[in-house]
Amino acid sequence: MKIEKVEGVVFSYPTRRAVDEDGHSHPGPEVLARMAMITIHADTGDKGYAFAPPEVVRQHVLDAFVRPVLIGQHPLQREKLWKSLEHRQRGSAGQLTDRALAVVEQALWDLAGRALNTPVYQLIGGYRDKVPAYASTMCGDEIPGGLSTPEDYAAFAERLVARGYKGIKIHTWMPPVRFAPNPEMDIKACAAVREAVGPNIALMIDGYHNYSRIDALRIGRELEKLNFAWFEEMMNEQSMESYAWLAQQLDIPILGPESLSGKHYSRAAWIANGACDILRAGVPGVGGITPALKVAHLAEAYGMDCEVHGNGAANLAVCAAIKNCKWYERGLLHPFLEYDDVPAYLHSLSDPMDDDGYVHLSQKPGLGEDINFEYIQAHTVATY
Ligand code: LLH
Ligand code: MG
């Protein structure tokens, strides 16, 4: 079995998710956005697919790095191919990102699953076939009745509990929101949500990402009173020492790192330095499904959980493959958006949730994405 071809396709699709100047999503008017799909073709006719923002797998990335490494190689030798790509990152002047590695590796896993007629989550562990989801809100905003006040968060939390969620993580206000950051507002929002949902719903907060140690400590002490399950990315993760300092003083579990680079290597340092109580890895952020599993297995060896960052079929497969992850992160959610609407380029949701808050794994071979190839073909704007 040999890889014959790697194809990139960019297509348009309608969305109401807008991204602000700091990269946070919010609701907006319907626009046409762009998505890329890469396809890896094997000489047996087997194919694997993965989606990414077009910039991540632009033509130069495929031509300069991905095709030279993949073409002619056995598609099931993922570790060898991933290591070759990782090796080329050093000399790529930042062009070959962890996110690009992750897209390629996801497509290789999808190909493996399709070729072996087995869902990827079973190939990589198969611990369970449904995972409890927490509702992960969008960041706060200034939209009346949206997520602009603590009361808005409380009202939305009630809706989320009625939908079936047993856990909620709030992302609070961050610049460019004019009054952000604001520790007092964050604490008020957490208190309002706890008051609204009662004691039996797990609550978490992911706020600002750049608080000082002192602000973080103050918020953390309030969260302990409100019985929050974890405190996430409240400071810049490049300062591991600040996280170790905070973790020493607080009882509430500190979760991280999420946005820090360094794949599984940097996560090992966080354990060694006592910088977190729960480890964090998302498939795009750490360079693929396999490195995310390496992080989870590393955490397990230290008696720690590893909570998976972000939604989508690949992250869901990792959650279902391992025991030491309590939740799947479903979102980002907002009162003015309907997450359960299926994106135009799929036939069905990759993470359907039942009324008890469980997300069920697709039993289709591969990553289980129910791709609408006709839609993609009809809306293609570039191929390379
Ligand atoms: O800052 C944001 O927009 C969110 O925090 C976002 O990055 C989200 O993916 C996250 O942190 N989830 O846990
Ligand atoms: Mg986060």
Side-chain angles (χ1 to χ4, degrees):
M1 199 179 194
K2 277 195 170 51
I3 298 172
E4 272 187 334
K5 196 163 63 162
V6 179
E7 259 184 309
V9 167
V10 177
F11 60 92
S12 63
Y13 70 102
T15 182
R16 289 196 47 227
R17 271 174 75 128
V19 178
D20 70 26
E21 67 202 46
D22 280 14
H24 310 301
S25 339
H26 303 284
E30 185 171 298
V31 291
L32 282 181
R34 291 192 172 183
M35 180 71 87
M37 180 176 77
I38 70 159
T39 308
I40 299 179
H41 299 252
D43 58 358
T44 49
D46 294 299
K47 294 176 200 160
Y49 306 91
F51 294 98
E55 304 72 34
V56 172
V57 285
R58 61 193 184 282
Q59 180 160 6
H60 173 69
V61 172
L62 295 194
D63 285 345
F65 311 110
V66 177
R67 289 184 174 119
V69 167
L70 262 60
I71 303 295
Q73 299 296 313
H74 197 302
L76 300 189
Q77 293 186 329
R78 283 172 309 277
E79 188 71 3
K80 179 181 165 196
L81 298 175
W82 188 89
K83 284 284 176 196
S84 297
L85 288 170
E86 186 200 26
H87 182 75
R88 289 180 186 224
Q89 283 187 291
R90 170 70 178 77
S92 80
Q95 300 292 304
L96 182 56
T97 59
D98 288 347
R99 284 177 186 262
L101 262 58
V103 181
V104 173
E105 203 241 10
Q106 275 174 68
L108 288 170
W109 272 114
D110 190 50
L111 188 154
R114 288 170 187 265
L116 300 168
N117 201 26
T118 308
V120 169
Y121 83 93
Q122 289 182 346
L123 288 178
I124 62 176
Y127 179 70
R128 51 192 157 179
D129 53 22
K130 60 178 187 175
V131 184
Y134 67 83
S136 188
T137 75
M138 286 185 168
C139 296
D141 51 45
E142 297 176 71
I143 307 169
L147 293 173
S148 63
T149 63
E151 294 72 31
D152 285 345
Y153 277 92
F156 190 37
E158 283 173 2
R159 278 176 56 188
L160 295 171
V161 171
R163 170 66 181 85
Y165 290 103
K166 303 289 185 280
I168 299 172
K169 185 172 88 189
I170 64 172
H171 286 92
T172 46
W173 299 275
M174 314 194 187
V177 168
R178 278 169 302 169
F179 52 81
N182 187 329
E184 292 309 318
M185 286 271 288
D186 284 9
I187 293 167
K188 280 188 188 146
C190 291
V193 171
R194 173 55 81 207
E195 170 81 20
V197 302
N200 297 326
I201 298 292
L203 295 178
M204 303 68 124
I205 177 176
D206 190 338
Y208 185 35
H209 314 323
N210 277 293
Y211 279 123
S212 67
R213 290 185 184 194
I214 297 302
D215 281 342
L217 181 61
R218 172 163 153 48
I219 298 168
R221 289 202 169 125
E222 296 303 320
L223 298 177
E224 286 172 349
K225 294 181 203 156
L226 296 166
N227 194 26
F228 267 51
W230 76 61
F231 191 14
E232 172 175 338
E233 204 174 352
M234 73 307 288
M235 300 182 290
N236 188 324
E237 291 182 340
Q238 292 177 90
S239 173
M240 179 180 67
E241 294 77 5
S242 296
Y243 277 81
W245 178 90
L246 189 67
Q248 275 242 322
Q249 321 209 36
L250 289 176
D251 291 330
I252 179 174
I254 303 295
L255 174 137
E258 174 182 302
S259 61
L260 184 69
S261 61
K263 310 181 182 75
H264 44 298
Y265 312 106
S266 56
R267 271 79 189 163
W270 274 50
I271 296 180
N273 287 278
C276 61
D277 305 290
I278 303 172
L279 214 51
R280 186 86 163 142
V283 169
V286 298
I289 288 174
T290 307
L293 289 171
K294 289 179 183 179
V295 176
H297 298 162
L298 174 71
E300 186 181 69
Y302 280 86
M304 294 169 72
D305 281 349
C306 172
E307 290 299 331
V308 174
H309 168 224
N311 65 346
N315 283 320
L316 180 58
V318 173
C319 293
I322 59 177
K323 184 181 176 199
N324 58 331
C325 165
K326 288 202 171 52
W327 300 96
Y328 166 72
E329 179 169 13
R330 197 162 189 265
L332 300 172
L333 310 179
H334 189 279
F336 295 164
L337 294 175
E338 185 45 77
Y339 184 84
D340 287 313
D341 286 349
V342 180
Y345 54 93
L346 298 177
H347 287 299
S348 60
L349 277 183
S350 300
D351 57 357
M353 191 181 86
D354 66 24
D355 294 344
D356 289 323
Y358 282 95
V359 168
H360 293 254
L361 275 288
S362 166
Q363 297 306 311
K364 288 186 170 45
L367 282 169
E369 278 168 323
D370 195 1
I371 302 171
N372 186 339
F373 293 104
E374 296 73 33
Y375 179 90
I376 292 172
Q377 200 176 16
H379 295 84
T380 291
V381 294
T383 51
Y384 47 85

